[in-house]
Amino acid sequence: MTTQDPATPTATPTAAPSAEAARTAIRKARGALSRYRVLAIITGVMLLILCVEMLVKYGVGAFVDVDGVMQYVSWIPFAHGWVYVVYLVTVLDLWTKMRWGWGRLATMVFAGVVPVMSFILEKKVHAEAESKLAVLEEQYTS
């Protein structure tokens, strides 16, 4: 039985990706970023509409009969729920492609349930992702 010296690495170092593989990864990351942007905006709008619906139902509804109005807006919580699920898929897609940390994932997940946060975070995430992708693009195209 032979034993291996613990100081000797067992895995070979990974080679840098080819320029073509890097361009493909950057293109996929830009696509994920675009999908994330669209869903962040849609999720934010749906969350604001949901907040208005809840204010009408529980705020105004305490003083005035709003049952007639509520029958037309009862679809809003369900729509926001499903839009949020699709938003989570785009968050995970972008997060894995950009290789961000767990804190960024948690922040992006919470942005879909905190009113107005999705708009603010989308702007920040977009700027950071674009700058990171621009650096990578420059690195692999030169």
Side-chain angles (χ1 to χ4, degrees), residues 53-81:
E53 184 259 347
M54 290 176 64
L55 282 172
V56 168
K57 184 175 183 179
Y58 298 111
V60 177
F63 305 105
V64 180
D65 182 29
V66 292
D67 290 338
V69 174
M70 295 312 297
Q71 69 182 357
Y72 295 108
V73 295
S74 62
W75 58 271
I76 292 171
F78 302 105
H80 170 68

Short mmCIF file of all heavy atoms in Angstrom, two decimals, residues 53-81:
data_model
loop_
_atom_site.label_atom_id
_atom_site.label_comp_id
_atom_site.label_asym_id
_atom_site.label_seq_id
_atom_site.Cartn_x
_atom_site.Cartn_y
_atom_site.Cartn_z
N GLU A 53 -54.09 47.05 -2.87
CA GLU A 53 -55.24 46.17 -2.68
C GLU A 53 -55.47 45.88 -1.20
O GLU A 53 -56.60 45.90 -0.71
CB GLU A 53 -55.03 44.86 -3.45
CG GLU A 53 -56.20 43.91 -3.40
CD GLU A 53 -56.03 42.78 -2.41
OE1 GLU A 53 -54.90 42.56 -1.92
OE2 GLU A 53 -57.03 42.10 -2.11
N MET A 54 -54.39 45.65 -0.46
CA MET A 54 -54.53 45.38 0.97
C MET A 54 -54.96 46.62 1.73
O MET A 54 -55.74 46.51 2.69
CB MET A 54 -53.20 44.83 1.51
CG MET A 54 -52.91 43.43 1.01
SD MET A 54 -51.32 42.80 1.54
CE MET A 54 -51.54 42.72 3.28
N LEU A 55 -54.48 47.79 1.34
CA LEU A 55 -54.92 49.03 1.98
C LEU A 55 -56.42 49.26 1.77
O LEU A 55 -57.13 49.67 2.69
CB LEU A 55 -54.14 50.23 1.44
CG LEU A 55 -52.74 50.41 1.99
CD1 LEU A 55 -52.00 51.50 1.22
CD2 LEU A 55 -52.78 50.73 3.47
N VAL A 56 -56.87 48.97 0.56
CA VAL A 56 -58.30 49.12 0.28
C VAL A 56 -59.10 48.10 1.10
O VAL A 56 -60.09 48.44 1.74
CB VAL A 56 -58.59 48.97 -1.23
CG1 VAL A 56 -60.08 48.84 -1.49
CG2 VAL A 56 -58.00 50.14 -2.00
N LYS A 57 -58.64 46.86 1.08
CA LYS A 57 -59.39 45.80 1.76
C LYS A 57 -59.43 45.98 3.28
O LYS A 57 -60.48 45.86 3.89
CB LYS A 57 -58.76 44.45 1.41
CG LYS A 57 -59.49 43.26 1.98
CD LYS A 57 -58.87 41.97 1.48
CE LYS A 57 -59.62 40.76 1.96
NZ LYS A 57 -59.03 39.52 1.45
N TYR A 58 -58.27 46.26 3.88
CA TYR A 58 -58.20 46.31 5.35
C TYR A 58 -58.26 47.72 5.91
O TYR A 58 -58.66 47.90 7.05
CB TYR A 58 -56.94 45.60 5.84
CG TYR A 58 -56.92 44.14 5.47
CD1 TYR A 58 -56.03 43.65 4.53
CD2 TYR A 58 -57.84 43.25 6.04
CE1 TYR A 58 -56.03 42.32 4.17
CE2 TYR A 58 -57.84 41.91 5.69
CZ TYR A 58 -56.93 41.45 4.75
OH TYR A 58 -56.94 40.13 4.41
N GLY A 59 -57.85 48.72 5.14
CA GLY A 59 -57.90 50.10 5.62
C GLY A 59 -59.24 50.74 5.35
O GLY A 59 -60.00 51.06 6.26
N VAL A 60 -59.56 50.88 4.08
CA VAL A 60 -60.83 51.49 3.68
C VAL A 60 -61.98 50.56 4.01
O VAL A 60 -63.07 51.01 4.39
CB VAL A 60 -60.80 51.84 2.18
CG1 VAL A 60 -62.13 52.41 1.72
CG2 VAL A 60 -59.66 52.80 1.86
N GLY A 61 -61.74 49.26 3.91
CA GLY A 61 -62.79 48.27 4.17
C GLY A 61 -63.32 48.30 5.60
O GLY A 61 -64.41 47.81 5.88
N ALA A 62 -62.55 48.88 6.51
CA ALA A 62 -63.01 48.99 7.89
C ALA A 62 -64.11 50.04 8.04
O ALA A 62 -64.89 49.99 8.99
CB ALA A 62 -61.83 49.34 8.80
N PHE A 63 -64.16 50.96 7.09
CA PHE A 63 -65.13 52.06 7.18
C PHE A 63 -66.21 52.02 6.10
O PHE A 63 -67.29 52.53 6.29
CB PHE A 63 -64.40 53.41 7.09
CG PHE A 63 -63.30 53.55 8.09
CD1 PHE A 63 -61.99 53.44 7.72
CD2 PHE A 63 -63.60 53.76 9.44
CE1 PHE A 63 -60.96 53.56 8.65
CE2 PHE A 63 -62.58 53.88 10.37
CZ PHE A 63 -61.26 53.77 9.98
N VAL A 64 -65.89 51.42 4.97
CA VAL A 64 -66.80 51.42 3.82
C VAL A 64 -66.89 49.99 3.30
O VAL A 64 -65.93 49.23 3.35
CB VAL A 64 -66.25 52.35 2.71
CG1 VAL A 64 -67.17 52.37 1.51
CG2 VAL A 64 -66.01 53.75 3.23
N ASP A 65 -68.04 49.65 2.75
CA ASP A 65 -68.21 48.33 2.13
C ASP A 65 -67.47 48.31 0.79
O ASP A 65 -67.82 49.04 -0.13
CB ASP A 65 -69.70 48.05 1.92
CG ASP A 65 -69.93 46.66 1.33
OD1 ASP A 65 -69.10 45.76 1.59
OD2 ASP A 65 -70.93 46.49 0.61
N VAL A 66 -66.44 47.47 0.71
CA VAL A 66 -65.63 47.40 -0.51
C VAL A 66 -65.75 46.04 -1.20
O VAL A 66 -64.95 45.72 -2.07
CB VAL A 66 -64.15 47.70 -0.21
CG1 VAL A 66 -63.95 49.14 0.19
CG2 VAL A 66 -63.59 46.76 0.83
N ASP A 67 -66.77 45.27 -0.84
CA ASP A 67 -66.92 43.93 -1.42
C ASP A 67 -67.11 43.99 -2.93
O ASP A 67 -66.63 43.11 -3.66
CB ASP A 67 -68.10 43.19 -0.78
CG ASP A 67 -67.80 42.80 0.66
OD1 ASP A 67 -66.60 42.71 1.01
OD2 ASP A 67 -68.76 42.60 1.43
N GLY A 68 -67.77 45.00 -3.43
CA GLY A 68 -67.98 45.13 -4.87
C GLY A 68 -66.67 45.34 -5.62
O GLY A 68 -66.46 44.79 -6.70
N VAL A 69 -65.78 46.10 -5.03
CA VAL A 69 -64.47 46.35 -5.66
C VAL A 69 -63.58 45.12 -5.50
O VAL A 69 -62.83 44.77 -6.42
CB VAL A 69 -63.80 47.59 -5.02
CG1 VAL A 69 -62.39 47.77 -5.54
CG2 VAL A 69 -64.63 48.83 -5.24
N MET A 70 -63.62 44.49 -4.36
CA MET A 70 -62.72 43.38 -4.07
C MET A 70 -62.92 42.19 -5.00
O MET A 70 -61.98 41.45 -5.25
CB MET A 70 -62.86 42.94 -2.61
CG MET A 70 -62.42 43.99 -1.61
SD MET A 70 -60.82 44.75 -1.96
CE MET A 70 -59.73 43.37 -1.83
N GLN A 71 -64.12 42.01 -5.53
CA GLN A 71 -64.33 40.88 -6.44
C GLN A 71 -63.54 41.05 -7.73
O GLN A 71 -63.21 40.08 -8.40
CB GLN A 71 -65.81 40.69 -6.74
CG GLN A 71 -66.43 41.79 -7.58
CD GLN A 71 -67.92 41.56 -7.79
OE1 GLN A 71 -68.46 40.55 -7.36
NE2 GLN A 71 -68.56 42.49 -8.45
N TYR A 72 -63.20 42.30 -8.09
CA TYR A 72 -62.43 42.55 -9.31
C TYR A 72 -60.92 42.50 -9.09
O TYR A 72 -60.16 42.39 -10.04
CB TYR A 72 -62.81 43.92 -9.90
CG TYR A 72 -64.24 43.97 -10.36
CD1 TYR A 72 -65.18 44.71 -9.65
CD2 TYR A 72 -64.66 43.26 -11.47
CE1 TYR A 72 -66.50 44.75 -10.05
CE2 TYR A 72 -65.98 43.28 -11.88
CZ TYR A 72 -66.89 44.03 -11.17
OH TYR A 72 -68.20 44.07 -11.58
N VAL A 73 -60.48 42.61 -7.86
CA VAL A 73 -59.05 42.63 -7.58
C VAL A 73 -58.59 41.43 -6.75
O VAL A 73 -57.46 41.41 -6.27
CB VAL A 73 -58.64 43.96 -6.89
CG1 VAL A 73 -58.85 45.13 -7.80
CG2 VAL A 73 -59.36 44.14 -5.57
N SER A 74 -59.43 40.45 -6.60
CA SER A 74 -59.07 39.28 -5.79
C SER A 74 -57.98 38.42 -6.43
O SER A 74 -57.36 37.61 -5.76
CB SER A 74 -60.30 38.43 -5.52
OG SER A 74 -60.84 37.95 -6.74
N TRP A 75 -57.67 38.63 -7.69
CA TRP A 75 -56.64 37.87 -8.40
C TRP A 75 -55.24 38.38 -8.09
O TRP A 75 -54.25 37.68 -8.33
CB TRP A 75 -56.88 37.94 -9.91
CG TRP A 75 -56.88 39.35 -10.42
CD1 TRP A 75 -57.93 40.20 -10.51
CD2 TRP A 75 -55.75 40.10 -10.87
NE1 TRP A 75 -57.55 41.42 -11.00
CE2 TRP A 75 -56.20 41.39 -11.23
CE3 TRP A 75 -54.39 39.82 -11.01
CZ2 TRP A 75 -55.35 42.38 -11.71
CZ3 TRP A 75 -53.56 40.81 -11.50
CH2 TRP A 75 -54.03 42.07 -11.84
N ILE A 76 -55.12 39.56 -7.53
CA ILE A 76 -53.81 40.20 -7.35
C ILE A 76 -52.87 39.39 -6.45
O ILE A 76 -51.71 39.18 -6.82
CB ILE A 76 -53.98 41.65 -6.84
CG1 ILE A 76 -54.62 42.48 -7.95
CG2 ILE A 76 -52.66 42.25 -6.41
CD1 ILE A 76 -55.03 43.87 -7.53
N PRO A 77 -53.30 38.90 -5.28
CA PRO A 77 -52.36 38.13 -4.45
C PRO A 77 -51.84 36.87 -5.16
O PRO A 77 -50.66 36.53 -5.05
CB PRO A 77 -53.17 37.76 -3.22
CG PRO A 77 -54.28 38.75 -3.17
CD PRO A 77 -54.57 39.12 -4.58
N PHE A 78 -52.69 36.21 -5.91
CA PHE A 78 -52.27 35.00 -6.61
C PHE A 78 -51.30 35.33 -7.74
O PHE A 78 -50.31 34.62 -7.94
CB PHE A 78 -53.49 34.26 -7.16
CG PHE A 78 -54.46 33.88 -6.09
CD1 PHE A 78 -55.66 34.57 -5.94
CD2 PHE A 78 -54.18 32.86 -5.19
CE1 PHE A 78 -56.55 34.24 -4.94
CE2 PHE A 78 -55.06 32.52 -4.20
CZ PHE A 78 -56.25 33.21 -4.06
N ALA A 79 -51.59 36.39 -8.46
CA ALA A 79 -50.70 36.81 -9.54
C ALA A 79 -49.33 37.19 -9.00
O ALA A 79 -48.30 36.78 -9.55
CB ALA A 79 -51.32 37.97 -10.32
N HIS A 80 -49.31 37.95 -7.92
CA HIS A 80 -48.02 38.32 -7.34
C HIS A 80 -47.26 37.08 -6.87
O HIS A 80 -46.05 36.99 -7.06
CB HIS A 80 -48.18 39.28 -6.17
CG HIS A 80 -46.89 39.49 -5.41
ND1 HIS A 80 -45.81 40.14 -5.96
CD2 HIS A 80 -46.51 39.10 -4.18
CE1 HIS A 80 -44.82 40.14 -5.09
NE2 HIS A 80 -45.22 39.51 -4.00
N GLY A 81 -47.96 36.14 -6.29
CA GLY A 81 -47.30 34.90 -5.82
C GLY A 81 -46.62 34.15 -6.95
O GLY A 81 -45.47 33.73 -6.82
#
